[in-house]
Amino acid sequence: YYQNYLKHCSNIELVIEPLNNFFNCVKNGRCLGMSIASTLAHNKVFTPSDIQADRENLVDIQLDESVLSTILSYQTRQIKSDFLLYRYWNLLHYTKEEQVDILLDKAKKATEQGRYFLITLNFDYMAHAVTGMGMIDGEWEFNGEKYDKCILTYDNNGYGLDDASIFINSETKNTYINAYSNMTENLSFFTLDDDDFMNYGGAINPADSYETDVSSINSIQIISNDDQYGLNKATLTVTGNDGIKYDGIASCNSDVETYNKYVCKGTDFEVQNITNEEIFTVNFMNVNNSIDSDFNGSVNNVFRNETEFGFDTFGTTEYNLKFAFEEGHYSFSPHYRFDFSGVTDSDFKAVSTDRGIILSSSDNVKCQVKTTDVNRDENGLVVNAEENVQEDAVSSVGDVLLTFDENGSLTYYIGKNYNTKVQKGDVNCDGLIDTVDATLVLEAYSANSTDMPSYIGKTLSDYNNDGLIDAIDASLILEKYAELSTTN
């Protein structure tokens, strides 16, 4: 089941602890998978016989390995990045009253069209998925509160309609569910009726696109050394799709601790470390890419948009960055993931382009680089999520473009429009091969001998291609320098 889940994982989902997420998703039940399957079968996306041969009704289906696999494939929909972002956005940005209005609106539409829809009941520390079947008007009273709407609900926990249905007072927006009457004080609702969204990459007749727009939704996780959620330690400024800036933290109405992240719509995001926390982490995720960043030192501002990520510091800061790109967003590379780690006294920026990733800093770029690919077998199953790994380092006096040649090997470009390929031996990427480069190689050789970190990589420094950076390379670089000097 886990292998089948990996088969349908996006690149981002492969990066975000897939084993832990899969286990946590399925260990407590199958409610989402059963609710989505019930909804899609009723809505004629597929039939009960598609789930199990010769079954005319869902109630006739007998649980076996194949059925369980189908249910699990829809159960894990909740940890797909687009579903996760959309659900978090709705729960964090709509008030309880607005959520109830959305529920009423979708229930009314479902009743008129004879369709089912998905409802998730979100309690303090758990969630449960049920199937909305329609809505009726009437008069009900529970615990002295009157209700005039009833959302007819199928609950796969086994409750009947009287216990599972959601009663609503359309004026006060108060709600009551008999089966969960002792848990509804902080109840919130997420409602979904987009069949294609529920069945995107699904197990049966999967949709290859959907209309639900999640393109500008970003989750931002802020963690400081003594405050797990960055509360009162950082500010989050978001530039909305309309170009207007707003407070991303204040915009999240619900209890952010429940979701351990802020979820905002926008084009640009800036996190400021307002209390100068030395241990500081900022993670970003949207449907196109994800960036995890850990800092040790004195990072100040961290910013990102669709193509750029960067930060500036108060002083010397170590950084570890993990970039993951979805298919279609890294055409310049055979790899979907990049890890950058290094140190800076000022700032650092990484810009994604059609040709590669541009690394820049106000002082020298000093960065270790690791690239990772996904290896799948002929059936699409993930064999090794960290295959074709390349590791290198770059120390450049200016901006440098990281890309790959026709053989898939790391290559660097500098200069105007990044049209000058950095030659082997030009260790500091200044366009020259000289004594400075030989000295840097000797320093790297000394550092490597004592297990000290070095930002000199083999691509440019291993002049004789023997897999080592040593005094021989320095000597050969000096010989090349002498040759060039004589020629010039």
Side-chain angles (χ1 to χ4, degrees), residues 49-251:
S49 63
D50 291 322
I51 300 176
Q52 191 169 62
D54 301 323
R55 306 297 178 179
E56 295 185 6
N57 300 292
L58 289 171
V59 294
D60 298 326
I61 291 175
Q62 301 297 311
L63 187 64
D64 59 20
E65 291 296 311
S66 176
V67 173
L68 179 59
S69 180
T70 298
I71 292 172
L72 278 175
S73 73
Y74 289 107
Q75 178 71 19
T76 55
R77 188 73 183 93
Q78 66 178 298
I79 49 178
K80 298 295 185 181
S81 56
D82 52 3
F83 190 92
L84 195 71
L85 288 167
Y86 189 62
R87 179 171 174 266
Y88 281 167
W89 163 261
N90 279 266
L91 292 174
L92 289 172
H93 285 269
Y94 291 119
T95 65
K96 169 67 177 295
E97 290 75 17
E98 291 170 329
Q99 292 171 8
V100 171
D101 281 335
I102 293 170
L103 174 58
L104 288 170
D105 179 66
K106 292 191 183 299
K108 179 181 178 182
K109 184 171 71 171
T111 303
E112 293 170 348
Q113 298 176 353
R115 295 168 54 81
Y116 284 1
F117 61 103
L118 176 69
I119 308 170
T120 69
L121 312 174
N122 308 281
F123 306 101
D124 281 338
Y125 295 103
M126 63 165 284
H128 179 52
V130 297
T131 307
M133 301 187 296
M135 181 174 67
I136 58 175
D137 297 328
E139 294 183 2
W140 300 270
E141 183 173 338
F142 302 99
N143 301 325
E145 176 82 26
K146 294 185 178 180
Y147 302 88
D148 60 319
K149 304 287 184 181
C150 176
I151 311 296
L152 301 174
T153 306
Y154 166 69
D155 188 326
N156 46 60
N157 276 345
Y159 296 111
L161 275 177
D162 288 344
D163 289 325
S165 292
I166 305 169
F167 295 90
I168 299 174
N169 183 313
S170 60
E171 292 187 3
T172 66
K173 312 304 179 187
N174 288 338
T175 60
Y176 179 84
I177 308 172
N178 188 52
Y180 307 103
S181 59
N182 61 337
M183 303 170 61
T184 56
E185 182 176 353
N186 296 313
L187 176 64
S188 57
F189 299 94
F190 168 64
T191 315
L192 182 64
D193 61 358
D194 184 341
D195 290 350
D196 289 336
F197 191 70
M198 283 184 270
N199 201 35
Y200 183 64
I204 303 174
N205 298 334
D208 56 10
S209 64
Y210 51 82
E211 294 183 1
T212 299
D213 184 12
V214 297
S215 59
S216 65
I217 301 178
N218 285 254
S219 73
I220 305 97
Q221 184 181 45
I222 306 170
I223 303 173
S224 65
N225 58 343
D226 63 350
D227 182 351
Q228 186 177 2
Y229 307 103
L231 298 173
N232 304 316
K233 305 290 185 178
T235 61
L236 169 60
T237 302
V238 180
T239 302
N241 299 332
D242 54 6
I244 298 175
K245 296 181 181 296
Y246 68 90
D247 184 336
I249 293 177
S251 72

Side-chain angles (χ1 to χ4, degrees), residues 436-453:
V436 174
D437 300 304
T439 300
L440 289 172
V441 169
L442 288 174
E443 291 176 354
Y445 173 53
S446 176
N448 293 337
S449 300
T450 57
D451 293 328
M452 295 293 290

